[in-house]
Amino acid sequence: GCIKAVGPADVIRNQFSEATFERIIDCSGKCVLPGLVDAHTHPVWAGDRVHEFAMKLAGASYMEIHQAGGGIHFTVEHTRKATEDELFTTFQHRLERMLRAGTTLVECKSGYGLNLETELKMLRVIERAKKSMDIGISSTYCGAHAVPKGKTATEATDDIINNHLPKLKELKLSGEIHVNNIDVFCEKGVFDLESTRRILQAGKDIGLQINFHGDELHPMKSAELGAELGARAISHLEEVSDEGIVAMARAKCAAVLLPTTAYMLRLKQPQARKMLEEGVIVALGSDFNPNAYCFSMPMVMHLACVNMKMSMNEALAAATINAAYALGKSDTHGSLEVGKQGDLLIINSSRWEHLIYQFGGHEALINYVIVKGKVVYQNERCETMSSY
């Protein structure tokens, strides 16, 4: 399942002239790219929030919807009621759609439970998909996604540190659930800086990578905190400070930017250019969730180029090697190099840029998706039509 050799066709032909292959794919006139990596998603939930999109379009803010009983709390209510099998079925369909759009490794968060029982239900669903599906998964415990109704932020923090995390540690040791990252929504009116610090540190103490939501709606000094705690990545960062950007660059803490969210919530765009100029490792994620319903990393890259002024090369790096870095997997994923996992896309075009240039065009452009050297999706449309 790993890449054996990379190089010009004639060199490869000579090197493997004696070898026999199960399958040869003719890529004449096509492009081979690393599989895309989606560094931030919330794909396990029940209940639909299409009605909130209409409210947003009419001018309601994220926090107004949240306070009216919508937003995260609406999803929490429905997710708590759903069975594990119901959640798994919808999750499976979502992952299949991501795979067809070229994502071969995806970060998946819990966070619509907010109580131990439902958070564990979500993490079990993610664990099932890890074992049964082709797509690679990095799982994240995000029990601090919102403050549960009836609790203060301090009470919720204590509950997570005293009950949730010890249980996760126990399940990890017994081999039942393997969680990779810990996440907190560090935001005004949700978890403040001190609560965030306590939860992230407790997660780090049980061996989880820190990868959290910060500086989205208000400047919170989340970036400075993440750099100080040795965070692997921080997401959103629409309101990050200049000091925070410098601190992240120094600490080699990745910035996971989410152009879909800024676009749909009409927020200020993250300062991708400034981050790149300061030497921050910039990654991209779809932020797939009921609030930002997008499966497609090619569309995310397009938005990053148009709205955040990234070049196409920068966007591709952010959706492959840098996104893999944000998940602690850049030694095995995110580029076509000998010894790395054989995750790749074959594009029905002689120029890879079409993947970004054609906004929403990936359905007739991605010819093959390959994971661990195995074709997991073959697109018949590409055989009969030109991608132009």
Side-chain angles (χ1 to χ4, degrees), residues 40 53 56-57 62 215-217 235-239 256-272 284-289 291-294 300 303-304 306-309:
H40 182 122
F53 188 51
K56 275 186 224 123
L57 296 177
Y62 178 86
D215 296 327
E216 179 185 0
L217 305 171
S235 291
H236 282 295
L237 300 164
E238 287 86 352
E239 298 288 345
V256 179
L257 305 184
L258 308 168
T260 50
T261 315
Y263 163 71
M264 289 184 203
L265 294 180
R266 297 169 172 156
L267 301 175
K268 187 168 89 181
Q269 293 290 331
Q271 300 177 71
L284 290 170
S286 67
D287 197 14
F288 173 78
N289 74 74
N291 178 52
Y293 206 103
C294 176
V300 169
L303 288 171
V306 174
N307 290 339
M308 300 192 321
K309 301 181 172 60

Side-chain angles (χ1 to χ4, degrees), residues 70-384:
I72 290 173
H73 288 305
F74 178 88
T75 306
V76 167
E77 202 179 308
H78 286 78
T79 307
R80 284 180 178 178
K81 287 176 189 160
T83 67
E84 199 172 308
D85 284 341
E86 285 166 345
L87 289 174
F88 181 71
T89 303
T90 50
F91 178 43
Q92 210 175 2
H93 291 314
R94 290 166 190 160
L95 290 178
E96 281 162 4
R97 286 179 71 180
M98 288 177 181
L99 197 61
R100 292 198 296 272
T103 296
T104 54
L105 172 63
V106 57
E107 184 263 7
C108 299
K109 303 177 190 293
S110 71
Y112 292 121
L114 309 185
N115 60 23
L116 181 56
E117 179 195 349
T118 316
E119 289 295 313
L120 291 178
K121 178 170 70 175
M122 294 180 75
L123 291 168
R124 278 196 301 272
V125 164
I126 296 170
E127 195 70 28
R128 264 172 80 177
K130 273 189 187 183
K131 293 188 174 120
S132 65
M133 296 197 64
D134 294 311
I135 197 167
I137 293 173
S138 175
S139 60
T140 301
Y141 163 74
C142 185
H145 194 197
V147 177
K149 285 182 176 172
K151 277 198 166 108
T152 64
T154 307
E155 288 166 345
T157 301
D158 291 341
D159 184 35
I160 287 166
I161 292 169
N162 301 329
N163 300 312
H164 293 213
L165 292 174
K167 186 66 183 171
L168 279 189
K169 186 181 177 183
E170 180 193 313
L171 292 169
K172 186 180 172 185
L173 291 171
S174 70
E176 280 176 68
I177 294 178
H178 299 275
V179 179
N180 306 100
N181 316 287
I182 182 152
D183 191 353
V184 174
F185 187 15
C186 181
E187 185 53 73
K188 193 173 167 183
V190 193
F191 289 91
D192 65 13
L193 209 60
E194 198 40 50
S195 299
T196 301
R197 176 195 296 278
R198 288 179 58 210
I199 295 168
L200 293 176
Q201 186 60 54
K204 189 179 178 182
D205 292 345
I206 64 163
L208 300 176
Q209 285 185 132
I210 296 175
N211 187 338
F212 71 111
H213 290 62
D215 296 327
E216 179 185 0
L217 305 171
H218 298 91
M220 298 286 293
K221 294 203 183 308
S222 304
E224 291 89 329
L225 174 70
E228 181 197 325
L229 292 177
R232 176 47 84 151
I234 306 169
S235 291
H236 282 295
L237 300 164
E238 287 86 352
E239 298 288 345
V240 68
S241 69
D242 291 351
E243 296 75 20
I245 291 175
V246 170
M248 286 179 73
R250 280 203 197 112
K252 292 192 166 43
C253 170
V256 179
L257 305 184
L258 308 168
T260 50
T261 315
Y263 163 71
M264 289 184 203
L265 294 180
R266 297 169 172 156
L267 301 175
K268 187 168 89 181
Q269 293 290 331
Q271 300 177 71
R273 286 258 53 87
K274 190 173 175 68
M275 291 178 194
L276 289 162
E277 280 151 22
E278 293 286 355
V280 176
I281 297 161
V282 172
L284 290 170
S286 67
D287 197 14
F288 173 78
N289 74 74
N291 178 52
Y293 206 103
C294 176
F295 295 108
S296 165
M297 286 304 289
M299 290 181 87
V300 169
M301 289 190 281
H302 179 101
L303 288 171
C305 293
V306 174
N307 290 339
M308 300 192 321
K309 301 181 172 60
M310 290 174 77
S311 71
M312 287 192 280
N313 288 0
E314 286 165 345
L316 182 65
T320 53
I321 191 72
N322 291 1
Y325 175 88
L327 303 179
K329 287 185 178 281
S330 51
D331 52 342
T332 52
H333 294 70
S335 59
L336 303 178
E337 293 180 74
V338 173
K340 283 198 170 185
Q341 190 167 301
D343 292 4
L344 45 121
L345 310 182
I346 298 169
I347 308 291
N348 188 27
S349 166
S350 58
R351 293 195 55 166
W352 71 266
E353 290 92 342
H354 272 273
L355 193 61
I356 296 177
Y357 164 63
Q358 293 188 20
F359 190 46
H362 62 268
E363 289 181 357
L365 194 59
I366 294 175
N367 200 163
Y368 295 89
V369 179
I370 295 166
V371 174
K372 293 184 185 167
K374 179 179 119 187
V375 174
V376 296
Y377 171 60
Q378 183 173 349
N379 187 348
E380 305 301 336
R381 285 183 195 166
C382 292
E383 309 307 329
T384 56

